Amino acid sequence: MIRPRRSLFMKYFVTLFVAVVTPLMLGSATEAWFAFRDNRLYLNEILQVEARSAADRIQAFTDGIRDQLGWVVQFPWTQGEDDRRRIDGLRLLQQVPAIVSLSMVDPTGTERVFVSRVSMNRTGRGADMSADPAVVGARANRVWYGPVHYRRDSEPYMRIAVAGNRAAAGIVVADINLKLIWDIIAAIKIGDTGHALVVDGSGRLIAHPDISLVLRSGAGAGDFNRLKSVVSEANGSAVSTTGEDGEPVVALAVRAANVDWTVIAEQPVLEAFESIRAALWRSLILIAIGIVFAFVLAYWRASRMWGPIRQLEDGVERIGMGQFDHRITIQSRDELEQLAIRFNQMAEELGASQQKSERINRLKQFLPPQVAELVEHSDQRLLDAQRREVVAIFGDLRGFTAFTARAEPDAILAVLRQYYEAIGIVTARHEATLIRFAGDGVMVLLNAPVTCESPAHRGIRLAIDMQAAVQSLANSWNAMGCAIGFGVGIAMGPATVGTLGWQGRLDYTAIGNVVNLASRLCDLAKDAQILVDPAVTGHVKDSIALASIGERSIKGYDHALEIFAVGRIYAPISPMLVDSASGRSCLTHHGADEQTGRNAVGRAVQITPEPDSTASSSVIRRNHALV
Amino acid sequence: MIGAALAYPAAALAQESARVYRIFWLSTQSQPDPFLDGFREGLRARGYVEGKNVVLELHYAIGNPQALREVASELRRGKVDLAVSSGPATRAMTAVEEVPVLFALSGDPVELGLVKSVGQPGGNFTGSTFLSLELAGKRVELLKEVLPNLRKLAVLSNANHPGEQSEWRATKEAAEKLSIVPHYVPFSGADELDNALGLAGEAHADALLVFPDVLTMVHRGKIADFAIAHRLPSMFGWSEYCDAGGLLSYGANQRATYFSLAIYADRILRGERPANLPVVQPTKFELVVNLRTAELLGIDLDKSSVLFRANRVIE
């Protein structure tokens, strides 16, 4: 059988699969997208906070130094106070660790006091610093932040100059070691490896958690100008770029306004988006699990649907082939199970109906249809074996054997067909049981399996009608040149009746002396003659004219029986037939000897529709039963 | 602060490394070696355990840099991961190019030709400098501040020390600026120390200045006692001298310096190139005053600015 290209299984499977997987994928994708966006916003915020905090603290660092420097320029310069100023300077050094040295400049721009942690201190009139950019700058803006310079190409320094409220207070210029900003920068940790760094306006590194980089920066090492310009362009939002060590980072810049430095907070991309990656992995694993789950679920559901349908389909096929005992087991507790139950009921009913129709057909073999229906519907036990008084009628064509030797097979069959039809009609009319046809012979039973009133009367009338029907046929046959006649024997007595047979071939039959007697009487009967045994005669002699033809010895009977013949209704047929009848050319096939029995079998086989051994053997048994 | 700063990235030592590193320690001084102690302390802080993942092979050639040259040639042959040279021993190492060399110097490594610049050493040498040279004048100045009447200053110096001559020159210049007559008492090696102390004692100086050096460091107690005995106010380079009885000291913390050297050792052992590790300069200079000694010597420190400037006062 050709399966449809798109099976129900596939349809169900695909639908269920898609129904589970699609929302899952959509959900995961949406979640991942939102998580990414949130993460990015969060990262932006974190970097912003850290950079801002660093910038504020750096500003506080420089502002603190500026404020401290303000202390020493509160009073106007007077003569002879250099030593007091020197002590101020030394105290300031003690107070602010980042200050390495201080120059105090009087209102004229001359250095008056110089104190240092490293170099020797100086007091008294010193160098003229009025052109020094620190002095110029402080005079102009009160506070001046110098550019970053790297002492000995290594340590970052910056000068801060502060002027007093009045020009008379002079100016203080401090040299600041920027290495001390390291504390601020090193304290900033963004995640595990994120950090902050500070570059000046020209992109040189001022502060970095790895101070070696700063110390190297004076010699031009590092690539911070690029980083600074890239990150600064983003205007306060995070950008993805390459960090100083060549790794991809997310960075954000904030300016420390007073000193024109840029604080960059950065975190390696790998770490920054780690939670996103983790979330994506989680989503992927969920999707994978979902797909497997959907697959299994869809397969299972589709199988649950498809399996019963296949079962039903198979069942229908089997029923179609006649296997009515086929049953379907579906335990899905749903409509399919209901369907299977219905199917099984249907199969059962079909089987029962088939059996019934088989039985009726079988009954119809030997019963008139209406009787058969009656038997079927009234009582099954009618066909069971039992002993009862029956009337057996045997009929047999005369001259048929000689005819078969001459005639064509078609003609033989045509004769038999007409003969059987005539017998059948008559038997049906009298509601008798047509036990069988055997070649040119026929056996009919009365009062079995269906009982009837006065079976003897019925039997004799049936025999008369049968004789009449066949005689009228024989007339037409003889007109065509055949010499065929018909003799009938009828007897009454107890017999065992019931169905006999093997496998599918069952026949209803009667066994007993009465059958043998009827058969013998048939053998004895001449054409157009109906020979009647004494029992039937006893019943019907009042209404039917019977004439005794004397006593005959019958095989199987110890003494001779008086045989009667129904008064002749029809004119005797041609003398030729009489001759041939007397020659017993065609009346011997029910002979007692086995030889003739076999002949009968041979003929019976010719008219049996199933010419197999089973049929033959059943016929044999039938004949034995008759004997 | 510097120690922590140099340690970046501040990850703990990779314990997974089953390797045992071999470090040569070269010195022209004798044991006990306070510098070695500082270095060992630094290594321990970085997670190294001697005998387990690091082996220190000590090579001492007292006052004989020549003997260390043989060690240097052994360095080139053997599988040595790092050499650390203390003081004059660095001189013997200048020819070594195959092995990273760490140094700790009082003087200027650029001047000595060990590195191209302080920021970018550029070769296989890097380390720390105490900036003793720059501080030489500052020490004289501080003495003068405590002793305004200082006229004659005895200067005790281990001549067998790199940069010693520069330090002496700087000291001399500063003294002259402050109208002080310096009396130079050089000596070479521990054997000559007693003799040198004798000479210093006979100089009739107003104060004693001792150059920081591993030898004077080892014998700091003896020198401090000598100074007290001769009623000489003394000035040293490291705080340990004051702990031993010296009056004043001004200079970088030598322990911190050697500690930071160990951090550089760690970074080099992890694969960084010394060429990229800037020479470490001290940021903080400690002024330590021993008040007990001042009392013994009858010096009133309250008159000067020294006490409020002191980072630590020993009472």
Side-chain angles (χ1 to χ4, degrees):
Chain A
M1 181 179 169
I2 301 160
R3 295 238 152 260
R5 227 154 42 86
R6 295 172 67 83
S7 70
L8 194 62
F9 174 78
M10 274 313 283
K11 284 177 188 167
Y12 255 90
F13 179 75
V14 168
T15 308
L16 283 170
F17 186 75
V18 168
V20 176
V21 168
T22 307
L24 186 70
M25 298 266 257
L26 277 175
S28 296
T30 319
E31 197 207 1
W33 186 81
F34 276 109
F36 178 79
R37 207 192 54 168
D38 292 351
N39 189 261
R40 187 79 206 212
L41 286 174
Y42 173 73
L43 183 64
N44 208 56
E45 230 159 79
I46 285 284
L47 292 175
Q48 186 109 41
V49 165
E50 294 295 349
R52 189 74 265 165
S53 144
D56 287 347
R57 287 161 74 180
I58 284 165
Q59 201 143 343
F61 174 81
T62 52
D63 287 353
I65 292 171
R66 181 198 65 197
D67 294 346
Q68 295 282 359
L69 290 174
W71 282 98
V72 297
V73 287
Q74 284 175 334
F75 296 105
W77 280 85
T78 51
Q79 282 298 316
E81 59 156 6
D82 288 0
D83 200 54
R84 190 184 59 78
R85 295 261 176 180
R86 186 182 69 91
I87 295 294
D88 282 351
L90 289 172
R91 289 172 70 187
L92 198 55
L93 286 187
Q94 188 63 20
Q95 203 62 27
V96 188
I99 301 176
V100 175
S101 65
L102 277 179
S103 291
M104 296 191 201
V105 181
D106 70 9
T108 65
T110 309
E111 182 196 79
R112 297 287 289 273
V113 172
F114 172 81
V115 290
S116 164
R117 293 181 192 278
V118 181
S119 310
M120 289 177 74
N121 302 337
R122 295 187 297 268
T123 45
R125 184 165 291 272
D128 180 9
M129 288 176 69
S130 56
D132 189 300
V135 173
V136 175
R139 272 185 180 150
N141 305 314
R142 283 211 55 207
V143 180
W144 175 84
Y145 297 100
V148 175
H149 61 276
Y150 294 85
R151 191 164 291 177
R152 301 180 76 174
D153 288 340
S154 180
E155 302 203 320
Y157 278 81
M158 181 181 71
R159 289 202 299 164
I160 297 178
V162 177
N165 279 336
R166 290 168 294 152
I171 292 160
V172 60
V173 181
D175 212 357
I176 314 293
N177 188 342
L178 296 176
K179 260 163 84 178
L180 280 89
I181 304 179
W182 182 85
D183 285 334
I184 297 171
I185 289 302
I188 291 174
K189 284 265 182 295
I190 302 163
D192 285 334
T193 54
H195 58 261
L197 56 96
V198 184
V199 292
D200 71 356
S202 54
R204 288 184 304 178
L205 188 65
I206 298 167
H208 191 284
D210 180 6
I211 205 156
S212 305
L213 287 176
V214 179
L215 298 180
R216 236 154 55 200
S217 207
D223 178 22
F224 293 96
N225 202 18
R226 179 201 58 81
L227 185 65
K228 182 200 154 225
S229 53
V230 168
V231 180
S232 297
E233 271 170 25
N235 246 341
S237 56
V239 285
S240 297
T241 179
T242 311
E244 63 269 22
D245 50 1
E247 297 292 321
V249 294
V250 183
L252 181 141
V254 166
R255 261 167 52 85
N258 58 349
V259 284
D260 191 26
W261 294 346
T262 306
V263 178
I264 297 172
E266 61 176 43
Q267 193 179 16
V269 168
L270 222 60
E271 191 192 318
F273 294 115
E274 201 183 345
S275 61
I276 279 292
R277 265 207 316 283
L280 279 177
W281 271 114
R282 273 200 303 277
S283 293
L284 278 177
I285 288 167
L286 269 180
I287 287 176
I289 290 171
I291 285 174
V292 170
F293 181 72
F295 189 88
V296 171
L297 185 78
Y299 188 86
W300 176 72
R301 253 298 117 212
S303 298
R304 289 296 295 257
M305 199 72 196
W306 182 64
I309 287 173
R310 282 293 304 274
Q311 256 181 292
L312 285 166
E313 187 194 329
D314 181 55
V316 169
E317 203 176 341
R318 279 166 185 263
I319 296 286
M321 292 190 301
Q323 293 181 28
F324 297 109
D325 56 341
H326 183 72
R327 293 288 178 274
I328 291 170
T329 317
I330 297 172
Q331 279 165 340
S332 55
R333 297 165 190 279
D334 55 14
E335 287 84 346
L336 284 168
E337 185 176 334
Q338 201 60 35
L339 183 61
I341 291 168
R342 292 267 180 237
F343 178 91
N344 289 340
Q345 285 175 354
M346 180 195 80
E348 200 175 326
E349 281 163 14
L350 271 177
S353 141
Q354 169 81 2
Q355 275 180 5
K356 189 190 265 180
S357 82
E358 269 176 13
R359 272 200 306 274
I360 290 172
N361 284 342
R362 211 160 52 232
L363 288 174
K364 280 176 181 171
Q365 284 178 7
F366 46 83
L367 289 178
Q370 65 274 28
V371 180
E373 294 286 341
L374 181 74
V375 167
E376 177 59 33
H377 290 111
S378 60
D379 189 0
Q380 300 281 321
R381 302 186 63 96
L382 274 176
L383 298 180
D384 289 353
Q386 53 189 295
R387 197 160 180 84
R388 67 158 62 167
E389 192 82 357
V390 299
V391 175
I393 302 167
F394 274 80
D396 195 67
L397 289 178
R398 302 283 177 264
F400 187 73
T401 308
F403 166 69
T404 58
R406 291 194 311 271
E408 294 295 317
D410 287 351
I412 295 165
L413 287 185
V415 163
L416 281 177
R417 232 175 262 128
Q418 288 175 340
Y419 166 64
Y420 290 168
E421 189 185 359
I423 296 291
I425 289 167
V426 172
T427 312
R429 192 167 67 232
H430 289 273
E431 298 183 352
T433 305
L434 177 62
I435 297 301
R436 69 167 173 281
F437 292 109
D440 58 344
V442 63
M443 176 183 172
V444 173
L445 214 59
L446 279 129
N447 205 31
V450 186
T451 50
C452 59
E453 284 179 31
S454 54
H457 280 96
R458 252 178 209 254
I460 206 82
R461 283 198 200 95
L462 172 63
I464 291 163
D465 285 356
M466 196 187 272
Q467 187 61 276
V470 176
Q471 284 306 327
S472 72
L473 273 176
N475 286 342
S476 62
W477 295 333
N478 292 337
M480 291 186 293
C482 312
I484 294 175
F486 186 60
V488 175
I490 178 168
M492 187 177 181
T496 303
V497 292
T499 35
L500 263 179
W502 181 69
Q503 288 193 344
R505 293 295 304 266
L506 289 172
D507 279 315
Y508 188 77
T509 195
I511 297 158
N513 268 338
V514 62
V515 177
N516 286 343
L517 180 57
S519 177
R520 298 280 177 267
L521 291 176
C522 177
D523 288 349
L524 288 173
K526 296 189 179 76
D527 178 37
Q529 201 173 27
I530 299 168
L531 293 186
V532 185
D533 76 331
V536 174
T537 307
H539 281 90
V540 303
K541 61 184 182 228
D542 301 334
S543 51
I544 305 287
L546 297 171
S548 175
I549 58 166
E551 287 193 348
R552 301 286 171 91
S553 67
I554 304 292
K555 192 172 183 183
Y557 286 84
D558 299 335
H559 51 89
L561 284 178
E562 186 179 9
I563 307 296
F564 299 88
V566 177
R568 211 166 261 262
I569 308 154
Y570 301 99
I573 53 171
S574 67
M576 186 193 88
L577 185 70
V578 178
D579 292 345
S580 63
S582 63
R584 303 186 61 83
S585 59
C586 59
L587 295 173
T588 56
H589 72 275
H590 284 302
D593 62 295
E594 284 186 26
Q595 185 60 44
T596 50
R598 274 197 294 274
N599 287 342
V601 169
R603 291 215 301 277
V605 168
Q606 282 176 358
I607 59 160
T608 307
E610 294 168 76
D612 56 12
S613 58
T614 309
S616 305
S617 55
S618 74
V619 170
I620 289 166
R621 269 200 301 279
R622 277 203 307 270
N623 288 327
H624 281 288
L626 293 175
V627 174
Chain B
M1 165 216 145
I2 290 301
L6 291 171
Y8 181 91
L13 174 76
Q15 295 289 345
E16 76 276 6
S17 169
R19 231 190 111 186
V20 178
Y21 296 104
R22 202 164 158 221
I23 300 177
F24 268 30
W25 178 270
L26 299 108
S27 174
T28 51
Q29 309 302 329
S30 60
Q31 298 201 60
D33 190 340
F35 301 155
L36 179 60
D37 296 340
F39 183 73
R40 277 180 163 150
E41 193 188 322
L43 282 183
R44 278 196 295 276
R46 300 300 297 154
Y48 289 90
V49 180
E50 263 191 86
K52 191 179 163 201
N53 52 4
V54 71
V55 172
L56 276 176
E57 291 187 23
L58 310 180
H59 297 273
Y60 285 92
I62 299 154
N64 185 8
Q66 279 302 322
L68 286 177
R69 287 189 204 280
E70 288 164 27
V71 179
S73 59
E74 188 193 327
L75 254 182
R76 297 175 187 175
R77 286 194 309 273
K79 288 174 181 169
V80 180
D81 299 290
L82 178 68
V84 184
S85 62
S86 161
T90 310
R91 278 189 204 155
M93 307 297 296
T94 47
V96 176
E97 286 172 3
E98 295 84 353
V99 178
V101 180
L102 282 176
F103 57 76
L105 292 172
S106 299
D108 184 349
V110 180
E111 200 175 275
L112 288 168
L114 293 172
V115 294
K116 290 196 182 73
S117 78
V118 175
Q120 291 267 67
N124 59 322
F125 280 79
T126 190
S128 313
T129 168
F130 294 110
L131 289 181
S132 270
L133 192 56
E134 286 189 46
L135 295 181
K138 207 67 192 166
R139 293 193 184 111
V140 181
E141 186 189 87
L142 278 165
L143 259 183
K144 175 78 177 174
E145 194 135 331
V146 174
L147 307 164
N149 297 323
L150 178 58
R151 291 289 171 267
K152 192 172 184 184
L153 177 63
V155 178
L156 187 68
S157 165
N158 178 10
N160 191 7
H161 185 261
E164 186 266 348
Q165 279 305 306
S166 317
E167 198 167 353
W168 162 235
R169 266 200 308 278
T171 305
K172 196 165 72 175
E173 278 171 28
E176 279 162 6
K177 249 185 229 174
L178 297 168
S179 316
I180 298 166
V181 180
H183 182 78
Y184 185 42
V185 187
F187 66 95
S188 296
D191 307 341
E192 294 182 19
L193 179 62
D194 289 339
N195 190 30
L197 284 178
L199 287 175
E202 290 161 14
H204 301 292
D206 301 316
L208 173 70
L209 176 65
V210 178
F211 287 173
D213 159 69
V214 72
L215 194 55
T216 56
M217 177 81 169
V218 169
H219 298 285
R220 59 188 182 272
K222 191 189 215 176
I223 298 169
D225 290 347
F226 162 83
I228 292 168
H230 287 75
R231 303 200 64 77
L232 287 171
S234 52
M235 167 57 99
F236 299 88
W238 296 320
S239 63
E240 285 85 349
Y241 290 91
C242 280
D243 290 325
L247 178 63
L248 294 166
S249 81
Y250 186 62
N253 187 321
Q254 66 84 22
R255 240 183 150 70
T257 304
Y258 277 91
F259 195 92
S260 71
L261 210 58
I263 289 164
Y264 263 16
D266 175 38
R267 288 179 70 165
I268 289 169
L269 292 180
R270 285 175 191 228
E272 285 195 58
R273 293 172 52 234
N276 289 332
L277 294 174
V279 176
V280 183
Q281 302 178 60
T283 307
K284 280 185 189 161
F285 303 105
E286 315 176 287
L287 174 60
V288 179
V289 180
N290 191 328
L291 268 184
R292 279 180 302 186
T293 307
E295 271 173 36
L296 282 174
L297 297 176
I299 300 166
D300 184 5
L301 291 173
D302 291 335
K303 286 178 186 167
S304 70
S305 65
V306 166
L307 276 184
F308 81 76
R309 291 162 71 183
N311 299 79
R312 188 155 68 91
V313 176
I314 299 163
E315 287 183 270

